[in-house]
Structures are given as structure tokens and as C-alpha cells.
């Protein structure tokens, strides 16, 4: 955003808010998909108790890990990425 330590503009604050919302929603979706893929068979089918427990615990571990990794990666990419100065253009001189 601004490197001189000044106050952020409304557009910059809005961009941060949108990016945080995107990070949280996409992370929740990805975590739900992974949980469903890993633990889904244990919830849908009659499996041996050991396998059911293993699949459920794996889903319960992988989903939050993926959630945090997705949020961090989206927000870090937003922080380090440069935004084009004009909408729809890739650089100011194009």
C-alpha cells in the first residue's frame, strides 16, 4: 500500500477488506472440499472402525491446516503484489 507511513485511502482500505473476505471464503471452501474428500467416505459408507476413525481424524487435521495455509498465501500474495495503476492495464505505460 503506501510506503511512506501515511494514512490509507478509502480505496486501499476497501481493497484490503475485499482481499480478506476473498481469502476467508476461498479458504473455507477449500477446507470443506478437502474434509469432504478425506472424511466423506467414512461418513457415507460402513467401513471398519479403525479406518473410519483414521479418515475422520485426517480430515479434521487437514482441513484447518489447509484453511490457514490458504488465508496466509492469499494475503501474503496481496501484500507483496503490485497493483496496476490503471484498471485493465498491466503497466502504467501500456
Amino acid at each position: 500500500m503506501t510506503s511512506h507511513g501515511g494514512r490509507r485511502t478509502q480505496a486501499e482500505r476497501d481493497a484490503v477488506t475485499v482481499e480478506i473476505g476473498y481469502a476467508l471464503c476461498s479458504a473455507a471452501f477449500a477446507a470443506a472440499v478437502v474434509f469432504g474428500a478425506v472424511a466423506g467416505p467414512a461418513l457415507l459408507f460402513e467401513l471398519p472402525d479403525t479406518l473410519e476413525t483414521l479418515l475422520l481424524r485426517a480430515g479434521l487435521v487437514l482441513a484447518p491446516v489447509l484453511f490457514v495455509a490458504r488465508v496466509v498465501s492469499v494475503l501474503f500474495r496481496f501484500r507483496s503484489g503490485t497493483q496496476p495503476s490503471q484498471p485493465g492495464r498491466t503497466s502504467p505505460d501500456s
Side-chain angles (χ1 to χ4, degrees):
M1 297 291 157
T2 56
S3 60
H4 55 78
R7 296 181 62 139
R8 291 183 175 158
T9 65
Q10 184 64 40
E12 290 172 331
R13 289 193 305 265
D14 290 346
V16 170
T17 302
V18 168
E19 199 65 23
I20 290 169
Y22 169 72
L24 292 174
C25 288
S26 67
F29 179 76
V33 168
V34 166
F35 180 79
V38 173
L43 299 171
L44 293 175
F45 304 114
E46 252 335 284
L47 299 174
D49 289 338
T50 307
L51 185 58
E52 278 187 17
T53 303
L54 177 68
L55 289 174
L56 285 173
R57 287 185 182 169
L60 288 173
V61 169
L62 288 175
V65 169
L66 177 66
F67 180 87
V68 170
R70 177 70 181 160
V71 168
V72 169
S73 71
V74 168
L75 295 179
F76 183 73
R77 199 170 353 144
F78 175 73
R79 188 181 123 236
S80 65
T82 57
Q83 299 292 322
S85 61
Q86 298 172 343
R89 299 202 177 174
T90 56
S91 67
D93 57 347
S94 63

